[in-house]
Amino acid sequence: MEIKTVAIVGLGALGIMYGKQMVDHLGKDAVRIVADHDRIARYKREGIYCNGELCDFHYVDADVQGDPADLLIFAVKYTGLKDAIESARNQHGKQTVLLSVLNGISSEQMIGEAFGFDQLLYCIVAGMDASKIGNELTYKNIGFVSFGEADDTRSEKVDDLARLFEKTGIPYEIPDRMLHKMWSKLMVNTGVNQSTAVFETNYGGIQVPGKPRETVIAAMKEVVKVANAEGVPLQESEIAGWLNINDALNPEGMPSMRQDTLQHRPTEVDLFAGTIRKLGQKHGIPTPVNDFLYDRIRTIEASYAK
């Protein structure tokens, strides 16, 4: 099946970045930005900007029933996923391919339970330096999408999505071990997102020797131990590859959690340190670095109301 229509739920950094890229190559009418009535009114009133350019998006009210989309992308924070699933129901059909660009390893389970695992592809995104402040997104590196089936088969919908990404100029890869790749991305998020938030820095702050970079590496090593206990063969040698990717990003850019703390938004700490701490306790593995990061980020969040 050729993917001709795309519905995106969520206009955070990734929703804007991929939405704009797809509109530029597929046309405005082929890409639907799905939201509730009030949010759409705000988007239209304030505008959404990508690298200084006003995005000409086609907004679709979540409550309006229409033809199902060929591809349904979830691009919200994990805290908003439950509501996003409800908002997406009128975009879903029997042939709709489902894709989550959320952080962590939990969103696919929720989406699969809601719509069916047979339509779901597993996914991570990496290498981008998108920074969203208010209604303005800036980025230099679009990064890449890594996707595939849970069992690593080369299915028809994998090929369909690959063709769409080629058509829209979105870099992608189809890894040999998709679930391993997801754990590997969880590893880098656990280190990079949380350390930049706690040390109040940007990518540049972890690209040079010092406590923030040391914390990134130490947190990632704890993920390796937990993943191994879960039967996922992560290796510490993979850390160097992720550091190289992050070292090539715009030093002034910031990962999502640092953007959240700057704008006093709830973070995804439960997806990162929360997950590692819970699994560490399950397997009797100490996680002192993630304990520190978790406690510190909770303290930061608690300070918002003061």
Side-chain angles (χ1 to χ4, degrees):
M1 178 190 74
E2 181 182 359
I3 295 175
K4 296 181 179 180
T5 57
V6 180
I8 299 174
V9 184
L11 271 188
L14 295 181
I16 295 173
M17 187 174 73
Y18 292 135
K20 176 68 163 57
Q21 187 76 9
M22 289 183 174
V23 167
D24 287 347
H25 289 81
L26 301 178
K28 175 180 177 180
D29 292 340
V31 183
R32 312 165 188 172
I33 306 300
V34 183
D36 61 51
H37 177 80
D38 292 342
R39 192 177 297 267
I40 290 173
R42 177 164 59 82
Y43 289 155
K44 290 181 176 179
R45 181 175 65 252
E46 299 177 359
I48 298 292
Y49 294 85
C50 181
N51 285 338
E53 181 181 350
L54 178 65
C55 296
D56 186 20
F57 284 146
H58 171 49
Y59 297 106
V60 174
D61 193 314
D63 292 332
V64 175
Q65 180 71 54
D67 293 332
D70 297 329
L71 173 66
L72 176 54
I73 299 175
F74 292 88
V76 297
K77 290 293 181 63
Y78 184 72
T79 52
L81 181 56
K82 185 176 179 181
D83 288 340
I85 287 172
E86 294 307 311
S87 296
R89 292 198 180 277
N90 283 331
Q91 300 299 319
H92 175 258
K94 293 180 179 179
Q95 302 299 318
T96 304
V97 177
L98 305 168
L99 194 73
S100 165
V101 295
L102 276 72
N103 289 319
I105 56 175
S106 306
S107 63
E108 280 82 4
Q109 183 68 29
M110 291 179 62
I111 295 168
E113 289 174 354
F115 296 116
F117 287 93
D118 58 327
Q119 297 173 254
L120 178 70
L121 287 175
Y122 288 72
C123 169
I124 66 159
V125 294
M128 73 290 299
D129 53 9
S131 177
K132 179 175 178 282
I133 305 297
N135 61 341
E136 299 189 19
L137 172 76
T138 57
Y139 75 92
K140 291 183 178 179
N141 300 292
I142 195 172
F144 63 92
V145 182
S146 182
F147 67 93
E149 298 280 5
D151 62 2
D152 300 318
T153 58
R154 186 66 181 251
S155 67
E156 187 175 328
K157 61 179 180 288
V158 168
D159 288 335
D160 293 340
L161 188 58
R163 284 191 290 270
L164 176 73
F165 285 154
E166 288 169 5
K167 186 175 183 178
T168 56
I170 296 175
Y172 73 92
E173 67 171 12
I174 302 169
D176 294 332
R177 298 176 295 167
M178 188 64 231
L179 295 184
H180 182 112
K181 194 80 174 184
M182 293 182 72
W183 268 92
S184 188
K185 179 63 189 305
L186 174 62
M187 176 178 69
V188 68
N189 276 339
T190 298
V192 170
N193 269 274
Q194 297 184 133
S195 297
T196 54
V198 165
F199 291 101
E200 300 180 345
T201 189
N202 50 23
Y203 286 120
I206 60 171
Q207 290 170 346
V208 296
K211 186 66 173 177
R213 188 178 180 91
E214 292 170 4
T215 304
V216 169
I217 295 170
M220 290 169 77
K221 287 182 176 179
E222 290 183 355
V223 178
V224 171
K225 293 178 181 178
V226 168
N228 292 167
E230 283 285 293
V232 179
L234 277 184
Q235 299 179 11
E236 286 193 6
S237 60
E238 296 176 46
I239 293 174
W242 282 115
L243 291 177
N244 288 336
I245 290 174
N246 280 278
D247 288 348
L249 297 177
N250 177 13
E252 299 302 319
M254 295 175 286
S256 59
M257 186 175 285
R258 175 57 180 147
Q259 296 176 46
D260 289 339
T261 56
L262 274 175
Q263 298 186 65
H264 292 186
R265 297 188 299 234
T267 74
E268 295 181 313
V269 67
D270 281 325
L271 274 183
F272 303 145
T275 297
I276 301 310
R277 295 172 78 222
K278 186 179 298 182
L279 292 174
Q281 293 168 4
K282 171 185 172 183
H283 295 289
I285 299 171
T287 57
V289 178
N290 277 282
D291 291 343
F292 159 72
L293 292 168
Y294 185 90
D295 291 341
R296 180 64 191 132
I297 291 167
R298 283 300 188 212
T299 299
I300 293 171
E301 290 178 328
S303 72
Y304 295 166
K306 295 180 181 179

